[in-house]
Amino acid sequence: MKQEKIVLTGDRPTGKLHIGHYVGSLRRRVELQNSGQFDKIFIFEADAQALTDNIDNPEKVRQNVIEVALDYLACGIDPAKSTIFIQSQIPELCELSFYFMDLVSVSRLQRNPTVKTEIQMRNFEASIPVGFFTYPISQAADITAFKATTVPVGEDQEPMLEQAREIVRRFNYIYGDTLVEPNILLPENAACLRLPGTDGKAKMSKSLGNCIYLSDSADEVEKKIRTMYTDPNHLKVSDPGQVEGNTVFTYLDAFSRPEHFGRYLPDYADLEELKAHYRRGGLGDVKVKKFLAAVMQEELEPIRQRRKEFEQDIPAVYEMLKKGCEAARAVAADTLSEVRKAMKINYFDDEALIAEQAARFSGK
Ligand code: ATP
Ligand code: MG
């Protein structure tokens, strides 16, 4: 049988989605969805994973499930083409994680660089919740339960995909070919791999409060850009400035297109020319920031508008999620049947086993 091409990816409902998610993964998902090249597309909210480091704040996760769903719809994820579901509603994923736990060592998990950084970020060093520590395993279950072939995510997810691939290889080696090895699909544009926060810190992240949200108003976006981190040594307009590590230029790398210059900054042919002027000196941050604001508004305004429309019928959004969960659960249940069979724990639907045991005990 021809291998189906299946996309799967998700987000933690720990906050509204931001422009890091957008350039790192969301924009790509919409392209993949509309490309017609994939047999199935699954997009999910990892609420159970979000609880692993928010266990005392279930309300936060509950509130953000709808926010993230609205962000999906606003960006153009279409429930007619993509199945949107919520992780906790698919108990098969817990079951698969439990089996996978025997295929991974504690030291292998300890070596995961993303988990290491996240443990530090959350000050978990002294007391790491087991669920948080093992989330790469649960993520492998999320991916493999849907036999995903393609996982469009940001760079921070690379170690997770590697872990998932190892688990699949180990599982298939022990139990026979059952699961599919997923491939990571990283953004092509280097600036999008790990978009920095407005404070210039390494990663824009809901948990760090350095985000421009997709649902921010035009005024909020304007204000956040105005106070954004640039080159701390570029004090006077005449000073030569640095483009590398300058967040405003990183965002322009991620968002600007040649046609934006004609529309908003006709003195420059393209981003290279703008960068060259900044490096030489004589170009002020304010002008660059104004250009960035225009570019961002053009990209974000249609998303904001669509979000407002979907906000008009929230019960319909929950209904869409419920249907998505039902459809996703059926797929995961099929995979789990295959997994149980491969692992020889399908006692009651294995007539050969029952006959064999009957024969053994009757002495025949
Ligand atoms: P949290 O702080 O709760 O972990 P987060 O902002 O890191 O939230 P996630 O839900 O963990 O967001 O990530 C969802 C997806 O977005 C992943 O594919 C991740 O790689 C991608 N992503 C998140 N932040 C960025 C970023 N700053 N740049 C590029 N991609 C990102
Ligand atoms: Mg994260």
Side-chain angles (χ1 to χ4, degrees):
M1 202 179 81
K2 195 177 140 280
Q3 167 90 63
E4 281 192 305
K5 288 172 79 179
I6 299 174
V7 174
L8 177 132
T9 184
D11 307 274
R12 294 153 43 93
T14 48
K16 299 173 182 186
L17 296 186
H18 54 64
I19 59 169
H21 299 121
Y22 184 68
V23 297
S25 170
L26 212 42
R27 183 160 69 176
R28 192 51 146 329
R29 296 178 206 174
V30 177
E31 281 167 23
L32 297 178
Q33 170 195 273
N34 296 336
S35 72
Q37 287 177 9
F38 291 87
D39 300 292
K40 289 182 202 140
I41 304 202
F42 296 99
I43 295 176
F44 76 104
E45 298 201 35
D47 62 336
Q49 189 195 110
L51 284 169
T52 63
D53 56 326
N54 289 284
I55 198 63
D56 54 355
N57 200 353
E59 198 52 38
K60 170 171 156 189
V61 175
R62 183 187 179 84
Q63 296 296 332
N64 282 305
V65 163
I66 187 74
E67 298 280 6
V68 171
L70 286 166
D71 285 328
Y72 286 165
L73 296 169
C75 285
I77 304 282
D78 176 358
K81 297 179 185 161
S82 300
T83 305
I84 306 177
F85 69 93
I86 305 172
Q87 186 188 33
S88 63
Q89 305 305 301
I90 321 291
E92 285 77 5
L93 299 177
C94 289
E95 188 183 344
L96 192 55
S97 302
F98 191 67
Y99 302 145
F100 282 177
M101 286 197 184
D102 300 327
L103 304 177
V104 182
S105 69
V106 170
S107 64
R108 175 66 184 84
L109 285 175
Q110 279 166 335
R111 283 200 303 275
N112 184 313
T114 303
V115 175
K116 267 191 200 163
T117 319
E118 290 179 337
I119 285 172
Q120 274 168 7
M121 250 170 74
R122 291 163 174 78
N123 297 320
F124 271 166
E125 283 92 338
S127 154
I128 312 166
V130 173
F132 185 81
F133 180 63
T134 56
Y135 94 73
I137 298 178
S138 111
Q139 215 161 301
D142 301 334
I143 297 168
T144 52
F146 296 91
K147 301 199 171 167
T149 52
T150 310
V151 183
V153 283
E155 196 184 31
D156 61 306
Q157 292 303 308
E158 230 167 351
M160 308 302 159
L161 262 288
E162 201 36 56
Q163 177 76 79
R165 290 166 64 86
E166 275 175 39
I167 289 175
V168 170
R169 286 197 288 267
R170 186 106 204 273
F171 187 100
N172 287 350
Y173 176 75
I174 300 172
Y175 302 116
D177 248 352
T178 313
L179 301 173
V180 178
E181 260 188 65
N183 292 303
I184 190 166
L185 189 66
L186 291 170
E188 280 152 15
N189 180 336
C192 303
L193 286 171
R194 189 180 294 249
L195 198 78
T198 48
D199 55 359
K201 294 243 170 71
K203 183 174 173 289
M204 180 173 288
S205 171
K206 285 170 271 181
S207 312
L208 293 176
N210 56 6
C211 307
I212 294 180
Y213 292 99
L214 293 171
S215 49
D216 277 348
S217 70
D219 282 352
E220 281 166 324
V221 173
E222 200 99 17
K223 202 160 115 209
K224 286 181 181 177
I225 292 178
R226 226 182 307 130
T227 55
M228 241 170 93
Y229 178 87
T230 58
D231 170 5
N233 300 316
H234 185 243
L235 299 172
K236 292 200 296 292
V237 172
S238 54
D239 289 340
Q242 196 169 330
V243 166
E244 290 70 31
N246 183 325
T247 314
V248 174
F249 279 96
T250 310
Y251 286 14
L252 283 176
D253 278 329
F255 282 97
S256 79
R257 293 188 299 273
E259 66 264 27
H260 289 138
F261 285 86
R263 277 207 278 286
Y264 307 118
L265 206 58
D267 295 348
Y268 300 85
D270 56 23
L271 189 53
E272 282 321 301
E273 242 182 67
L274 190 72
K275 285 182 179 174
H277 192 182
Y278 194 81
R279 286 196 180 101
R280 257 191 338 266
L283 174 58
D285 282 344
V286 173
K287 190 166 178 180
V288 187
K289 284 182 170 178
K290 275 199 174 139
F291 175 57
L292 175 63
V295 168
M296 298 287 305
Q297 300 296 12
E298 184 180 315
E299 187 96 7
L300 296 180
E301 185 54 25
I303 298 177
R304 257 189 310 255
Q305 287 309 326
R306 272 199 302 271
R307 198 183 206 271
K308 288 222 172 68
E309 285 164 29
F310 287 109
E311 284 172 0
Q312 301 307 307
D313 194 354
I314 294 295
V317 179
Y318 277 105
E319 194 51 38
M320 176 281 290
L321 286 170
K322 189 172 169 218
K323 288 217 174 75
C325 289
E326 284 161 8
R329 188 162 183 199
V331 176
D334 282 348
T335 305
L336 260 292
S337 295
E338 292 175 47
V339 163
R340 286 187 215 109
K341 187 169 177 214
M343 292 180 71
K344 298 187 180 295
I345 51 177
N346 61 332
Y347 311 109
F348 308 121
D349 55 12
D350 187 352
E351 281 172 19
L353 167 75
I354 299 169
E356 179 192 312
Q357 296 303 324
R360 185 159 78 89
F361 285 97
S362 69
K364 282 184 199 152

